[in-house]
Amino acid sequence: DRSNLAGVQHIVLVLSGKGGVGKSTISTELALSLRHSGKKVGILDVDLCGPSIPRMFRVQDNDVHQCDSGWVPVFVDQDKSISLMSIGFLLEKPDDAVVWRGPKKNALIKQFVADVAWGDLDFLIVDTPPGTSDEHISTVEALRPYKPLGAILVTTPQAVSVGDVRRELTFCKKTGLRVLGIVENMSGFVCPHCSECTNIFSKGGGEELAKHAGVPFLGCVPLDPQLSQSLEEGRDFIQEFPKSSAFPALAHIAQQVLDASSQQSS
């Protein structure tokens, strides 16, 4: 049988040891950046208890349909250049909580990997829940036969978050998942009026960790009101705000993912 992932060229996981660091933000903006580089992108949202990807693309009211080879993902645009799958599309009401034990979550993750008809994609971005537990092991094991390109680890600058990402590095090592690099999100706030950068949390934790672990540092993404607003309203930040302080950092992350993918292909 031809697998539903047979047409997917590169799989990238977005991980973090803790919640609230902006994994879904990085996943969304990476998808948009890759789309603007002419790539076809899918996002698989396996954060079963906090599925925020549909909202960030303003498609949270869409339904998932069946076809012969499984679930048809939800397309974000007319060109079908970004497609999404999330448990958010399967809940009867948006406020429904997923009160499930591990085995049921793991079964759905395996189903997401096997039964979504992605078609041909240049990149599949997998937005994961926080931590290093059941869901992560299930996701990595289900994707292993398809040889993922690697993982992007997201942290915020303060020591508590960096400590949790250190555990995620250990998880990647134990599961044999290549680390594409570390992103330091919420790294300073650039004032929209005077352009001065204020380090609200602290700075440099992610870069220091990357150096210590011997993995690439993909960049610092500052707190940016325009980015927050775009995500709230489901708008294309990459297209609308090229002069924003977060834009060069996000473009740089996407470029490094493209470079890693061309090395894998060659």
Side-chain angles (χ1 to χ4, degrees):
D1 283 355
R2 188 177 185 269
S3 153
N4 274 329
L5 287 174
V8 177
Q9 299 301 311
H10 306 288
I11 299 171
V12 177
L13 289 89
V14 180
L15 303 170
S16 175
K18 68 190 277 85
V21 298
K23 285 184 300 302
S24 298
T25 298
I26 298 298
S27 299
T28 297
E29 300 310 326
L30 176 59
L32 290 167
S33 298
L34 292 169
R35 194 254 303 265
H36 286 297
S37 301
K39 304 297 180 189
K40 261 189 108 169
V41 189
I43 304 184
L44 176 56
D45 181 4
V46 293
D47 190 349
L48 303 183
C49 296
S52 44
I53 292 286
R55 168 81 192 267
M56 290 177 169
F57 283 95
R58 215 173 186 172
V59 290
Q60 66 269 35
D61 298 327
N62 290 38
D63 293 321
V64 168
H65 302 287
Q66 292 275 351
C67 68
D68 291 345
S69 48
W71 282 323
V72 180
V74 169
F75 296 101
V76 169
D77 54 2
Q78 293 289 313
D79 303 336
K80 300 189 174 181
S81 58
I82 297 182
S83 49
L84 314 177
M85 176 50 79
S86 168
I87 195 173
F89 298 129
L90 306 176
L91 301 174
E92 281 186 27
K93 300 191 200 80
D95 296 339
D96 283 355
V98 177
V99 188
W100 291 356
R101 291 188 185 276
K104 196 170 178 186
K105 286 182 180 176
N106 297 343
L108 182 66
I109 287 168
K110 285 175 187 160
Q111 200 176 349
F112 271 169
V113 169
D115 292 348
V116 180
W118 294 107
D120 292 329
L121 292 179
D122 296 300
F123 289 91
L124 177 64
I125 297 164
V126 184
D127 184 32
T128 65
T132 54
S133 60
D134 258 16
E135 288 113 298
H136 300 80
I137 297 164
S138 294
T139 304
V140 172
E141 282 181 353
L143 291 171
R144 198 188 303 283
Y146 308 101
K147 297 184 174 54
L149 181 64
I152 292 173
L153 274 51
V154 184
T155 184
T156 50
Q158 63 271 55
V160 157
S161 178
V162 170
D164 287 336
V165 173
R166 196 174 277 119
R167 294 183 196 101
E168 201 74 51
L169 280 163
T170 312
F171 170 82
C172 291
K173 206 172 184 179
K174 284 187 172 172
T175 54
L177 190 59
R178 174 190 175 193
V179 176
L180 296 174
I182 294 175
V183 172
E184 185 176 296
N185 195 24
M186 307 183 203
S187 182
F189 170 72
V190 179
C191 174
H193 305 295
C194 69
S195 299
E196 188 179 330
C197 184
T198 307
N199 294 321
I200 292 173
F201 298 120
S202 62
K203 192 166 173 64
E207 192 166 7
E208 197 59 43
L209 176 61
K211 207 178 288 177
H212 176 75
V215 299
F217 180 64
L218 301 181
C220 295
V221 181
L223 282 163
D224 186 330
Q226 289 175 326
L227 177 54
S228 307
Q229 188 184 353
S230 298
L231 292 162
E232 285 289 330
E233 296 172 2
R235 289 159 64 191
D236 185 340
F237 172 80
I238 300 296
Q239 187 172 7
E240 292 186 34
F241 299 106
K243 292 191 167 68
S244 131
S245 52
F247 179 88
L250 293 166
H252 182 61
I253 293 163
Q255 188 55 53
Q256 288 176 95
V257 171
L258 286 166
D259 293 348
S261 69
S262 58
Q263 284 166 14
Q264 188 189 46
S265 303
S266 57

